[in-house]
Amino acid sequence: MDCVLPKYSVPRCTLQEASQALWLTLYMKLRPNTQGIAGEYAPGNPSGMVGPFALRDVTVHQVLDRLVRESLQAAWVVQVPANYLGQLPATGLWEVVDYSVSSPSDVT
């Protein structure tokens, strides 16, 4: 969570899309030999948009703080024990909770 990103930008997008893009950025930074990533995710609530913004020399947790601050109705929580924060578990390091989403299946 303290990994520093030299440059990080977020286009206008949903909170969940921004969180997913941050995860992919972190993944590629920590595993630069990755050839590609496949999968799917819930795009989130289209009424809960964040961005655009650009940041320099920012940590992952600072980006997450900025995302939920812009959202106004969200929080992020770490979902692994502290001794696993240096790894990239398949379930992810954090969860973004969007309070404006009515169905739990819409939250990723």
Side-chain angles (χ1 to χ4, degrees):
M1 303 306 290
D2 290 328
C3 180
V4 176
L5 304 173
K7 291 185 199 176
Y8 190 74
S9 61
V10 174
R12 187 85 174 140
C13 61
T14 69
L15 175 63
Q16 297 301 331
E17 289 170 327
S19 176
Q20 184 66 26
L22 178 59
W23 169 254
L24 292 173
T25 299
L26 178 62
Y27 190 94
M28 297 304 282
K29 179 178 171 86
L30 297 179
R31 296 186 178 157
N33 294 328
T34 301
Q35 296 293 316
I37 297 174
E40 63 182 350
Y41 66 96
N45 183 355
S47 67
M49 304 294 279
V50 295
F53 61 83
L55 304 168
R56 291 188 174 274
D57 299 321
V58 65
T59 64
V60 171
H61 77 266
Q62 289 171 323
V63 174
L64 288 166
D65 287 347
R66 174 76 181 260
L67 292 174
V68 298
R69 186 171 58 244
E70 284 202 11
S71 171
L72 300 176
Q73 294 186 33
W76 69 273
V77 293
V78 175
Q79 58 180 16
V80 296
N83 55 330
Y84 288 94
L85 289 176
Q87 301 174 21
L88 289 172
T91 58
L93 292 173
W94 66 84
E95 181 86 18
V96 173
V97 181
D98 184 348
Y99 300 130
S100 67
V101 175
S102 59
S103 170
S105 66
D106 292 338
V107 179
T108 60

